[in-house]
Amino acid sequence: MIPEPQVAAPAETGAKTEAATSEADGEKLLAGMDCLSCHKVDAKLVGPSYQDVAAKYSEADLDMLAQKVIEGGKGNWGEIPMAPHAGLSKDNAQKMVRYILSLKK
């Protein structure tokens, strides 16, 4: 199992700052995980690009997508399964998904 990367807590408060901090934390978390071996920001690799995911989903799908990152699965983007990340906290999975959703064109 890959250990979960740690990200420092945000120093500032406020909705806009928290969202930007959460997205930055999500980007750092993704960089420390194995996600980039199957996903790229702007092109399909093994799985869909992050931009394609952002185009298909919205903030309303945040919890479902975070759970999908934790549990893994297949079927939404083809038959190649996404590996589970069972050691990842729901909070960090949501940060990662917020970053991905921020890539909407």
Side-chain angles (χ1 to χ4, degrees):
M1 180 184 326
I2 297 171
E4 181 173 3
Q6 299 299 310
V7 177
E12 298 180 40
T13 58
K16 207 168 202 178
T17 303
E18 281 184 35
T21 301
S22 180
E23 290 168 10
D25 288 350
E27 183 176 17
K28 289 176 189 173
L29 287 164
L30 280 167
M33 302 284 290
D34 62 347
C35 305
L36 294 175
S37 59
C38 293
H39 300 278
K40 291 178 73 173
V41 170
D42 58 356
K44 179 178 176 16
L45 197 53
V46 174
S49 73
Y50 293 150
Q51 288 177 342
D52 287 344
V53 172
K56 183 174 180 175
Y57 297 103
S58 71
E59 185 75 20
D61 301 305
L62 179 70
D63 287 333
M64 179 273 297
L65 291 171
Q67 199 60 40
K68 185 75 115 171
V69 170
I70 293 168
E71 294 177 355
K74 67 177 185 173
N76 292 17
W77 295 92
E79 291 305 309
I80 298 174
M82 180 172 72
H85 299 87
L88 188 64
S89 71
K90 180 90 171 206
D91 183 55
N92 281 344
Q94 288 174 337
K95 289 176 185 176
M96 294 164 62
V97 171
R98 276 193 188 93
Y99 165 69
I100 292 167
L101 293 176
S102 77
L103 300 172
K104 191 177 296 274
K105 293 181 189 180

